[in-house]
């Protein structure tokens, strides 16, 4: 069963009614908690840090320590505040919510100066497995977009025993550098202009000179109908001050199109990912009606999900940063996914 549902930023009641139509009883109880939860948050509580794999990871945490775990993963050029209105909803529904800064963002730091500043997909996914191990988390539901959605898809495909459910904005995003290296149609190449820009030394230097202004422009392109204010953007822009941010971003986009090498320790993992493995864990994919970033059509990836699966379209001018633009709908998907 692959039902497609629709909700709206401007109609919370319409979304809630749809959730009632789709959700089992456990979801109804969670939905009641969500309706009473805080919204319009401006910050998380005090952040935490833990050594995990190559990193000292900085992360936000909310909710009961003994609740089922939800890990929320941001992308580029965003940060943990993409989930600032999602986390309290999930916490009110009984989840232990963990929202980490990815490598190269916020207060997350490499433990060793000699570790490669590597942005390849396998390295980022291994970071989150290491974080789960360090926190003693055996299994979690994952909610994610952009780089985070790619990371979550990889975890669900390669380590399904660690993933109880997957919510992925823009669907199946596991990449293959050799395939990506092939030229695309002009419109597709135009949509990926920043990847071509960052492939050059001029682009690297331009991004390093002013990542905050660059990334604000990406926000505007990716979510053309989202009227975020300066305070909202500046809150996230602080995450780009990380000393490894530029190196990670540039390597990520160059590696994607086979212009930069990854680390050999991830070769076996990347070989598995190059085969585009299917995802069997319960999954919900989501897409907004005003996503200005490059993204595949839902029909192009539906077959990659072999387990319980739904796709949800969101109306109302929802762009690429779906969790921040439509937090109620995103939180509800995280609550629903393990029950579909």
């Amino acid at each position: 069963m692959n039902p497609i549902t629709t909700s709206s930023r401007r109609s919370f009641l319409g979304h809630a009614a749809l959730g009632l139509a789709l959700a089992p009883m456990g979801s109804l109880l969670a939905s009641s908690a969500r309706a009473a939860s805080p919204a319009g948050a401006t910050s998380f509580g005090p952040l935490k840090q833990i050594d995990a794999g190559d990193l000292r990871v900085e992360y936000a945490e909310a909710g009961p320590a003994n609740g089922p775990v939800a890990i929320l993963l941001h992308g580029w050029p965003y940060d943990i505040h993409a989930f600032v209105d999602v986390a309290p909803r999930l916490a009110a529904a009984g989840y232990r919510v963990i929202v980490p800064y990815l490598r190269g963002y916020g207060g997350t730091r490499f433990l060793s100066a000699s570790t490669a500043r590597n942005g390849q997909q396998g390295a980022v996914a291994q970071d989150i497995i290491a974080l789960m191990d360090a926190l003693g988390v055996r299994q979690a539901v994952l909610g994610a977009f952009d780089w985070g959605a790619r990371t979550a898809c990889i975890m669900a495909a390669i380590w399904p025993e660690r993933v109880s459910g997957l919510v992925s904005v823009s669907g199946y995003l596991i990449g293959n550098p050799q395939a990506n290296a092939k030229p695309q149609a002009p419109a597709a190449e135009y949509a990926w202009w920043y990847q071509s820009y960052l492939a050059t030394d001029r682009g690297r230097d331009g991004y390093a000179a002013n990542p905050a202004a660059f990334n604000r422009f990406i926000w505007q392109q990716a979510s053309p109908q989202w009227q975020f204010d300066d305070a909202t953007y500046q809150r996230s822009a602080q995450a780009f001050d990380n000393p490894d941010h530029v190196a990670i971003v540039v390597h990520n986009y160059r590696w994607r199109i086979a212009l930069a090498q990854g680390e050999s320790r991830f070769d076996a993992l990347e070989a598995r990912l190059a085969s585009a493995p299917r995802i069997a864990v319960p999954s919900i994919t989501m897409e907004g009606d005003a996503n200005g970033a490059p993204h595949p059509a839902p029909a192009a990836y539906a077959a990659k999900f072999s387990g319980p699966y739904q796709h949800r379209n969101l109306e109302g001018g929802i762009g690429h940063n779906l969790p921040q633009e439509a937090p109620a709908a995103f939180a509800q998907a995280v609550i629903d996914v393990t029950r579909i």
Side-chain angles (χ1 to χ4, degrees), residues 138-175:
R138 184 185 64 84
Q139 191 177 65
V141 59
L142 306 177
F145 74 111
D146 199 83
W147 288 22
R150 178 171 296 104
T151 300
C153 286
I154 292 169
M155 293 170 65
I158 303 300
W159 298 283
E161 71 281 1
R162 307 300 298 270
V163 180
S164 57
L166 167 69
V167 176
S168 175
V169 176
S170 298
Y172 185 93
L173 297 177
I174 297 175

Side-chain angles (χ1 to χ4, degrees), residues 16-219:
L18 180 64
L20 293 176
L22 288 173
M25 182 58 67
S27 230
L28 303 187
L29 297 175
S31 181
S32 297
R34 176 185 62 86
S37 68
T42 58
S43 66
F44 292 100
L47 300 182
K48 301 180 179 182
Q49 293 187 338
I50 192 169
D51 290 359
D54 294 335
L55 305 172
R56 175 163 295 144
V57 178
E58 185 171 62
Y59 65 100
E61 185 168 352
N66 61 348
V69 178
I71 298 177
L72 308 178
L73 301 172
H74 70 84
W76 174 85
Y78 305 97
D79 83 322
I80 63 173
H81 291 94
F83 303 104
V84 74
D85 290 319
V86 174
R89 288 177 162 90
L90 295 179
Y95 286 83
R96 178 189 179 192
V97 187
I98 297 166
V99 194
Y101 280 110
L102 300 186
R103 55 170 56 196
Y105 295 82
T108 292
R109 297 288 189 273
F110 285 88
L111 294 173
S112 172
S114 64
T115 303
R117 272 39 179 177
N118 176 2
Q120 75 181 100
Q121 62 181 1
V124 181
Q126 185 63 63
D127 288 344
I128 307 305
I129 293 294
L131 175 62
M132 291 176 69
D133 290 344
L135 291 171
V137 173
R138 184 185 64 84
Q139 191 177 65
V141 59
L142 306 177
F145 74 111
D146 199 83
W147 288 22
R150 178 171 296 104
T151 300
C153 286
I154 292 169
M155 293 170 65
I158 303 300
W159 298 283
E161 71 281 1
R162 307 300 298 270
V163 180
S164 57
L166 167 69
V167 176
S168 175
V169 176
S170 298
Y172 185 93
L173 297 177
I174 297 175
N176 181 335
Q178 284 65 47
N180 292 342
K182 298 177 182 177
Q184 302 184 66
E189 294 288 355
Y190 173 74
W192 285 103
W193 69 268
Y194 51 87
Q195 182 166 263
S196 298
Y197 180 69
L198 293 171
T200 68
D201 289 346
R202 183 172 184 267
R204 176 201 61 208
D205 295 345
Y207 187 67
N210 200 346
F214 190 103
N215 291 341
R216 186 178 188 123
F217 181 66
I218 296 293
W219 276 37

Side-chain angles (χ1 to χ4, degrees), residues 5-12 15 78 82 86 144-145 168-170 218-228 285-295 311-331:
T5 62
T6 303
S7 58
S8 169
R9 185 203 324 248
R10 291 189 289 263
S11 179
F12 169 79
H15 173 75
Y78 305 97
V86 174
F145 74 111
S168 175
V169 176
S170 298
I218 296 293
W219 276 37
Q220 293 166 338
Q221 279 203 316
S223 298
Q225 296 186 41
W226 182 30
Q227 300 301 311
F228 60 88
T285 57
M286 306 184 77
E287 192 60 79
D289 63 341
N291 185 356
H295 61 279
H311 177 76
R312 298 183 180 183
N313 290 316
L314 272 65
E315 298 179 349
I318 307 299
H320 189 60
N321 186 0
L322 189 152
Q324 196 162 0
E325 298 176 62
F330 189 84

